[in-house]
Every structure is written in C-alpha cells, then in structure tokens.
Amino acid sequence: MRVVFLGAPGVGKGTQADRVASKFKSVKISTGDLLREAVRNQSPLGREAKSYMDQGKLVPDSVVIGLVRDKLREPSSANGFVLDGFPRTVPQAEELGDVLKSAKTPLDRVLNFQVSREDVIRRLSGRRSCPKCQATFHVDFAPSKTGDACDRCGEALVQRSDDRREAIETRLKVYEEQTAPLIQYYRNLHLLSELDGSGTVDAVFESLSRVLAPYKPT
Ligand code: AMP
C-alpha cells in the first residue's frame, strides 16, 4: 500500500498515519518528524530547517525531497508507506511521481483529510508533545493523565514552537497557497479520495480503513 495523506496542518494526518502504518504493516514517512529529528540532532540539515519551521514556513523543496528519497530507498519502505506531510508543493509531487515511476511502484491513493479551519486551530493550539518519546496529547481532547507530564515516559510535555498562534496562522496560509493546489493535481491523476476528518480518532480511522481496504497486503 502506497498512499499520501494530504490536508491542512492539524487535520489528524500524523495520528492516522501511525495507526494505518501499523495495521497495514507499512511505514509512516513523516517529513515533519524527520525534520524535527534533524533539528534535535542539530545536524546541518536541522540547522537549516529550524528557522523555517519555527516560523511555520515550508523548508526548501530540495532539502525535503532529499530526505524522502533516502527513506523510500530503505528496505523498510518496500512493504508500502504512508506519506504524511509530503508532498506539500507541486514540485515535490512531481519529484515524488518521478521517483516512484522509475521504481515502478506508483501511488495507490491520496487521501484528502477535511476539517474546518476552526477545528484545526483548536486542535493545533491545544496540542502538546513529549520531547523524549514524541507521544502527543491534547489539553482538551486527549489530556495526559498526569497533567503536564508524558503518560508514557514521564517527561515534561511541551508545545511545539510552530503550534503557537502566530505560526499556526502562517502554516494555514502556506497550506492554502502552496499545498491546497495538490488536491486538484491528484484529482486530475484520478488518485484522490476525500475523507471527513472531523470525527473522533476511531471514527476517522474506520472510514480510512474502508477506503484503504483494497490495498491491504494479503
Ligand atoms: P508537520 O509536522 O507536517 O506539520 O511539519 C512541520 C513543519 O516541518 C512544517 O511547518 C514545515 O516547516 C516543515 N515541513 C514538513 N514537511 C514539509 C514538506 N513536505 N515541505 C516543506 N516543509 C515541510
């Protein structure tokens, strides 16, 4: 199963990608996670990406494309993958198409998660994450049992720098301008399925599983 999860920041792509990857025995490739890891490790790539990310802007295509290219070459991707947060621009989508075409492993589906702007802002601004084990919580919808520490490892939870109000506004604007055109791009390729992302995590996962059922490995 080779799929792309498309949608504005905060629609739940990452959460669902984790569940789908484990159910369908494929890997989740999240460019946001890969970039945050590079920032934590203070690698040259991480240092370049940090200022874009903190402001809610997109990291240059060349940087992100290189990351994804490397991941797709890893043996773990051979069983299929869920791309979360990539592609985010038309040049990224074109590059992905070229890479997959030359590997003769075309995409099966692109899922477009739809959630209202109001809900997206509520989801992003209440999100908290664990800097140690990367578990995520939400102050209202999925609070940590211990308040402000991680239920899994006990570390103090933090708010992502790009989940602050100002950065959220920028991310939504960037999404509209640079990423939303991919909806039509993939519709033209007859790969797009729309998905209502406004329900509970379980409800969205159920609809998603129905759309993806034909691609389940036997
Ligand atoms: P995410 O966790 O997917 O919301 O990504 C967090 C941040 O990482 C984004 O706001 C961008 O700064 C950067 N980023 C993630 N994926 C991409 C991408 N495909 N292209 C450019 N920048 C990206």
Side-chain angles (χ1 to χ4, degrees):
M1 183 191 64
R2 293 177 294 271
V3 293
V4 164
F5 284 2
L6 202 62
V11 293
K13 302 186 297 292
T15 305
Q16 297 295 341
D18 280 330
R19 296 183 83 168
V20 167
S22 103
K23 176 171 173 180
F24 289 74
K25 310 227 173 344
S26 47
V27 287
K28 167 187 170 184
I29 302 177
S30 157
T31 41
D33 287 350
L34 293 171
L35 289 166
R36 277 184 290 279
E37 193 187 334
V39 170
R40 274 197 303 279
N41 295 337
Q42 300 187 0
S43 68
L45 188 148
R47 280 198 292 272
E48 183 183 352
K50 189 175 185 325
S51 64
Y52 295 100
M53 295 172 76
D54 284 347
Q55 293 174 67
K57 293 184 177 160
L58 292 187
V59 173
D61 284 343
S62 55
V63 173
V64 188
I65 287 167
L67 274 178
V68 173
R69 215 183 250 282
D70 290 349
K71 273 280 158 194
L72 290 174
R73 277 203 202 106
E74 289 179 6
S76 57
S77 301
N79 253 350
F81 53 77
V82 181
L83 278 169
D84 159 29
F86 180 93
R88 259 177 157 99
T89 64
V90 171
Q92 289 180 15
E94 288 171 346
E95 187 71 26
L96 175 67
D98 289 348
V99 170
L100 296 179
K101 194 172 171 197
S102 55
K104 298 196 172 54
T105 53
L107 283 178
D108 292 312
R109 267 304 74 207
V110 175
L111 277 295
N112 183 37
F113 287 60
Q114 293 173 315
V115 173
S116 72
R117 184 185 165 87
E118 209 177 49
D119 280 349
V120 158
I121 292 174
R122 204 173 308 136
R123 287 184 186 188
L124 289 174
S125 53
R127 184 159 71 177
R128 299 291 181 271
S129 56
C130 173
K132 196 167 166 199
C133 75
Q134 320 314 320
T136 53
F137 300 86
H138 190 283
V139 289
D140 300 318
F141 310 135
S144 147
K145 290 190 194 73
T146 42
D148 43 18
C150 177
D151 284 343
R152 214 193 276 170
C153 74
E155 189 79 6
L157 298 178
V158 295
Q159 182 175 42
R160 269 170 53 173
S161 49
D162 60 348
D163 279 345
R164 284 193 277 263
R165 189 72 197 213
E166 243 178 52
I168 291 176
E169 293 291 338
T170 308
R171 287 163 76 198
L172 292 178
K173 191 160 170 273
V174 164
Y175 167 76
E176 283 305 329
E177 289 173 2
Q178 299 191 61
T179 309
L182 292 180
I183 298 171
Q184 192 57 44
Y185 177 93
Y186 282 119
R187 193 176 283 136
N188 292 345
L189 294 175
H190 307 290
L191 284 172
L192 195 81
S193 295
E194 300 285 1
L195 187 88
D196 178 2
S198 63
T200 62
V201 172
D202 286 343
V204 175
F205 183 63
E206 220 168 274
S207 330
L208 198 47
S209 299
R210 272 198 296 275
V211 179
L212 296 177
Y215 311 109
K216 196 173 177 172
T218 47

